Amino acid sequence: MTTSSSERGVSLGMPEPPAPAYPDDVRARLEADAREVIARYPDSRSALLPLLHLVQSEEGHVTRTGMRFCAEMLGLTTAEVTAVATFYTMYRRRPSGDYQVGVCTNTLCAVMGGDAIFEELQEHLGVGNGETTDDGKVTLEHIECNAACDYAPVVMVNWEFFDNQTPDSARRLVDDLRAGRPVTPTRGAPLCTFKETARILAGFPDEREGAVEAGGSAGPASLVGLKLAKGESAPARVVHPRGAASAGAPPHEPSPAEHLSSHDAPQDTSASDPAHPAGPAAEEGE
Amino acid sequence: MTLTTEIKDTSPEKLLAPVLSAFWDEERSWTLDVYRRHEGYEGLRKALAMSPDEVIAYVKDSGLRGRGGAGFPTGMKWQFIPQGDGKPHYLVVNADESEPGTCKDIPLLFANPHSLIEGIVIACYAIRSSHAFIYLRGEVVPVLRRLHEAVREAYAAGYLGTNILGSGLDLELTVHAGAGAYICGEETALLDSLEGRRGQPRLRPPFPAVAGLYACPTVVNNVESIASVPAIMQRGKEWFRSMGSEKSPGFTLYSLSGHVASPGQYEAPLGITLRQLLEMSGGMRPGHRLKFWTPGGSSTPMFTDEHLDVPLDYEGVGAAGSMLGTKALQCFDETTCVVRAVTRWTEFYAHESCGKCTPCREGTYWLVQLLRDIEAGKGVMSDLDKLNDIADNINGKSFCALGDGAASPIFSSLKYFREEYEQHITGRGCPFDPAKSTAWADHRTEVNA
């Protein structure tokens, strides 16, 4: 949730004029959607998170126009809406790519190879964390734990699961995305664009034929215990392959520097000083 | 099945107890049709034949405890809802599964969403609620699709809506997608978020049972807790209590991940040990040994290979100095640098700290600075005591459990691996090669050999 002030577009000069409104036809369409969302809640303000997803589905990121729209629909100030929009990591605040590629670099995925994958993709795409390729196709991000640790290392594209990745498979994945070749997640439906994904998040079901069925009932790791319990796989001391995806021999040697990723964690301001006169806080009562 | 006699047996057929996961391997397991073939919505019929108070008492007697981390008795949470107060009551299901290492609710909702919906209807009948919410983290669109579809099916079949199964019960169910914030897994932050605000924890009291969503009496339960209720109603509390222990009865999902031969979901009676799970599933990856692991996500103090025989139930793990948490068994082998692991977790807590209270906001920041210095070989010995001191100033002194969670890896890693920290300081850097920890590390060695 930490972004530098320049990224937020904060200027200390004249206050910005109010954001322009949506064109009438867009506004009419979004307003109908928004009323449907608001009707789901006993209190209209509860619709704010879905509405921010909705305006993100219109423009690919949350614009000032989008926030103004949310504020008007809910009877809030734009400041109240901005406070919420800037708190949550899924709301983008600048134009980004059609495909958001998120590499999990939380501890378990990082150790299992997520750090190597993230470094590989940065080199391969020539972009850093949160940046978009020149063709506007791929925005690369490192993400936190996405609840798929039994499929580590995990890469998410537009919040669909790509399990058991390697630097090789991840590189092929982004190449396919940029070339417009069809890409199938390990679990979940064929990819839609980031905007279409945002509309599902706003609470509008995916209407594509077969989207709900896609990916089968459960991924292989979800079933290992069940199969053992049913005596369907030989118990004890059997080494299961980690899946075909991990078969490629990656050429990449991770550098020691990547221990220190988490690029959006607080930045250094001053070195910790063990000799600081304030020392550790005194115990209570001392 | 009685656990006491069979716990010594290592055959997985006897050690495991698939209930929620029993039919995940069937075609279209997530549909209403398949769910009904497996006694789906039968538990609801039994519940509706009882009075709401009887349902609460029944769930309380079953001994079901919260599966989201804290282990609070579910029936007791329901009982706290004041009745006849004239206010609306709400049930909010916490599906914001984001604790590092935790990966049980997401596969459960992907493969068997109706178990949750049936549990919701039963719970709402019990606490007299006519509107429930599922707060699902936003970053799992495949699960959101299936929840949308399952809710649609349940409405169409009369399990949701008005006069459910002719009982007079009316219930609306809203699926709500979050927007990326670990803190929203904390129940009061979740409620603020669901009210359209920044997800920041509330001061308690008042507790959500008195003033929760829209200041009305609210029950917040984890997905797995609620999804376990239909089976308890259908097969009986005695059946449920026949598994696990007196204080930790029943079955639960254990999630094995990391440097193990077979990562995945293992549903078993409470009280199974990591040794048993590893023995039945092929152990650690070949040629490696367990170094450290978490019993229930990164916020639970880590264990080592000394703790392989700790019974994985609320009391057993607690007695050994940690918490059962979410039963997220993240296993790391000897190639893993514990300082690197703890640094990354701490960066996570610093990133996810909501900023509301000072100990957590400032403390996690300074922990990261110290840990990065140590990892980079720039630490000094007194940094270790300083780490401990800062963690002590966060633990128990923060607004919510995120702060306590941030302190756990620090305390426990210093307790078991202080020498490794010292090596980083005296050796002016990290002695580990991260390439050896990757999922493909050994495969490459074979190829090159």
Side-chain angles (χ1 to χ4, degrees):
Chain A
M1 270 156 267
T2 318
T3 317
S4 73
S5 57
S6 61
E7 279 173 329
R8 282 195 299 264
V10 172
S11 72
L12 300 176
M14 288 290 289
E16 286 182 290
Y22 282 121
D24 287 346
D25 57 326
V26 176
R27 163 116 195 167
R29 176 163 48 78
L30 288 179
E31 208 173 299
D33 285 341
R35 298 216 179 283
E36 191 181 329
V37 173
I38 292 167
R40 296 181 197 140
Y41 299 93
D43 182 306
S44 64
R45 183 164 178 162
S46 283
L48 180 51
L49 267 65
L51 288 192
L52 285 165
H53 284 304
L54 180 69
V55 296
Q56 185 151 266
S57 78
E58 185 64 29
E59 294 164 287
H61 69 294
V62 175
T63 60
R64 292 175 64 236
T65 298
M67 290 192 279
R68 176 182 159 181
F69 171 79
C70 293
E72 286 169 2
M73 293 305 298
L74 299 175
L76 300 170
T77 65
T78 50
E80 286 169 322
V81 172
T82 308
V84 173
T86 53
F87 184 83
Y88 297 93
T89 51
M90 287 176 76
Y91 301 128
R92 300 160 154 186
R93 297 196 293 282
R94 50 187 171 157
S96 305
D98 291 339
Y99 299 102
Q100 175 175 301
V101 175
V103 182
C104 178
T105 58
N106 201 300
T107 300
L108 191 120
C109 273
V111 165
M112 301 296 288
D115 276 355
I117 292 169
F118 187 58
E119 178 146 312
E120 173 74 20
L121 290 185
Q122 288 185 89
E123 279 173 23
H124 184 65
L125 296 172
V127 297
N129 182 47
E131 294 175 2
T132 304
T133 52
D134 291 339
D135 57 8
K137 294 284 186 195
V138 171
T139 300
L140 182 66
E141 275 186 348
H142 76 85
I143 58 170
E144 298 297 358
C145 186
N146 222 79
C149 314
D150 44 351
Y151 297 94
V154 170
V155 171
M156 304 295 294
V157 181
N158 290 351
W159 307 116
E160 308 282 348
F161 290 102
F162 290 78
D163 301 324
N164 299 114
Q165 292 295 295
T166 65
D168 265 357
S169 66
R171 207 174 47 232
R172 282 197 302 275
L173 171 62
V174 295
D175 285 348
D176 287 346
L177 290 172
R178 297 182 73 184
R181 288 187 284 267
V183 159
T184 311
T186 327
R187 288 175 286 153
L191 282 185
C192 41
T193 64
F194 185 82
K195 288 182 185 176
E196 290 160 345
T197 303
R199 187 171 170 82
I200 303 171
L201 286 161
F204 296 96
D206 193 340
E207 306 287 359
R208 292 177 299 162
E209 189 72 34
V212 178
E213 287 86 349
S217 294
S222 306
L223 298 176
V224 290
L226 177 61
K227 286 184 188 272
L228 276 174
K230 291 167 84 173
E232 287 178 10
S233 44
R237 304 299 169 206
V238 173
V239 178
H240 297 253
R242 289 196 60 93
S246 59
H252 171 69
E253 288 290 338
S255 74
E258 68 194 25
H259 290 229
L260 305 170
S261 68
S262 235
H263 303 265
D264 54 358
Q267 298 299 302
D268 283 359
T269 47
S270 61
S272 64
D273 179 7
H276 192 279
E283 293 292 326
E284 254 175 273
E286 278 184 16
Chain B
M1 77 192 316
T2 52
L3 187 65
T4 41
T5 52
E6 283 165 3
I7 197 98
K8 292 174 193 81
D9 195 326
T10 56
S11 94
E13 289 92 333
K14 294 190 174 163
L15 282 174
L16 296 175
V19 177
L20 294 172
S21 64
F23 56 93
W24 291 3
D25 58 343
E26 281 187 29
E27 287 269 306
R28 298 169 64 83
S29 67
W30 43 273
T31 57
L32 180 58
D33 278 351
V34 174
Y35 187 61
R36 275 199 289 222
R37 280 212 300 275
H38 293 272
E39 303 179 332
Y41 291 98
E42 293 302 317
L44 173 62
R45 286 180 200 280
K46 292 200 176 172
L48 291 177
M50 301 159 78
S51 77
D53 285 342
E54 284 168 351
V55 175
I56 293 177
Y58 199 87
V59 172
K60 203 175 151 194
D61 290 348
S62 77
L64 174 65
R65 295 174 64 175
R67 302 293 194 238
F72 195 82
T74 303
M76 204 180 288
K77 230 179 199 180
W78 296 2
Q79 199 179 31
F80 286 154
I81 298 294
Q83 295 304 335
D85 56 344
K87 287 184 182 172
H89 299 170
Y90 295 106
L91 172 71
V92 179
V93 174
N94 185 345
D96 192 57
E97 180 164 71
S98 308
E99 169 75 11
T102 306
C103 49
K104 63 185 181 73
D105 295 337
I106 293 308
L108 167 59
L109 292 174
F110 190 65
N112 183 7
H114 280 286
S115 60
L116 175 66
I117 296 174
E118 184 181 2
I120 287 171
V121 185
I122 295 170
C124 286
Y125 175 67
I127 65 166
R128 287 88 157 174
S129 166
S130 58
H131 201 153
F133 298 85
I134 301 172
Y135 187 106
L136 176 73
R137 70 179 298 185
E139 300 100 321
V140 287
V141 173
V143 172
L144 182 60
R145 272 192 200 94
R146 293 218 169 146
L147 270 177
H148 281 153
E149 173 63 10
V151 168
R152 188 197 63 75
E153 281 187 309
Y155 269 106
Y159 298 120
L160 291 170
T162 51
N163 194 20
I164 293 166
L165 300 179
S167 66
L169 172 68
D170 299 341
L171 179 61
E172 294 295 321
L173 175 57
T174 303
V175 179
H176 181 93
Y182 167 66
I183 188 64
C184 293
E186 197 281 334
E187 64 174 9
T188 60
L190 185 152
L191 293 175
D192 259 31
S193 178
L194 184 51
E195 289 182 3
R197 299 166 196 279
R198 297 164 79 97
Q200 293 189 317
R202 299 174 178 175
L203 189 63
R204 279 159 291 194
F207 289 92
V210 176
L213 188 64
Y214 314 128
C216 292
T218 302
V219 167
V220 184
N221 277 145
N222 169 260
V223 169
E224 192 191 343
S225 315
I226 290 288
S228 299
V229 170
I232 293 172
M233 299 308 299
Q234 168 64 6
R235 301 194 210 176
K237 59 187 180 188
E238 294 78 17
W239 163 81
F240 190 73
R241 295 202 76 103
S242 73
M243 293 177 273
S245 66
E246 175 68 27
K247 287 183 175 168
S248 299
F251 58 88
T252 194
L253 283 162
Y254 292 95
S255 311
L256 205 53
S257 64
H259 293 130
V260 295
S262 291
Q265 306 302 318
Y266 296 79
E267 200 172 5
L270 280 157
I272 198 167
T273 66
L274 181 60
R275 187 186 301 282
Q276 288 170 322
L277 285 167
L278 286 176
E279 276 180 358
M280 75 170 75
S281 65
M284 299 297 286
R285 59 179 182 169
H288 296 277
R289 60 180 174 76
L290 179 65
K291 179 178 174 181
F292 64 96
W293 56 291
T294 66
S298 61
S299 301
T300 59
M302 66 174 66
F303 279 160
T304 68
D305 57 357
E306 291 168 32
H307 302 93
L308 275 165
D309 296 311
V310 170
L312 295 173
D313 58 22
Y314 299 98
E315 288 71 36
V317 179
S322 187
M323 287 175 293
L324 184 63
T326 54
K327 305 137 305 161
L329 311 168
Q330 311 176 83
C331 301
F332 298 91
D333 70 18
E334 83 291 345
T335 64
T336 315
C337 171
V338 76
V339 180
R340 176 190 181 201
V342 172
T343 304
R344 193 59 60 86
W345 277 324
T346 308
E347 287 172 340
F348 166 77
Y349 290 111
H351 180 245
E352 299 297 333
S353 174
C354 76
K356 177 162 179 163
C357 74
T358 309
C360 175
R361 182 186 66 241
E362 301 298 316
T364 53
Y365 169 84
W366 284 109
L367 289 175
V368 167
Q369 307 308 307
L370 287 167
L371 284 164
R372 285 183 177 171
D373 271 1
I374 294 170
E375 255 290 80
K378 295 187 285 183
V380 296
M381 279 301 178
S382 61
D383 284 349
L384 301 186
D385 289 336
K386 190 176 281 180
L387 278 179
N388 208 68
D389 189 59
I390 295 174
D392 192 44
N393 277 300
I394 301 173
N395 190 38
K397 300 172 182 74
S398 306
F399 231 88
C400 77
L402 189 147
D404 303 344
S408 285
I410 306 281
F411 287 142
S412 56
S413 63
L414 280 169
K415 178 176 171 191
Y416 298 118
F417 298 101
R418 193 177 178 101
E419 267 179 28
E420 200 165 306
Y421 280 94
E422 290 171 357
Q423 278 172 22
H424 281 74
I425 293 165
T426 54
R428 297 262 146 233
C430 178
F432 290 86
D433 176 4
K436 292 204 167 102
S437 301
T438 61
W440 54 82
D442 294 342
H443 182 82
R444 179 175 45 195
T445 314
E446 285 159 25
V447 169
N448 292 347

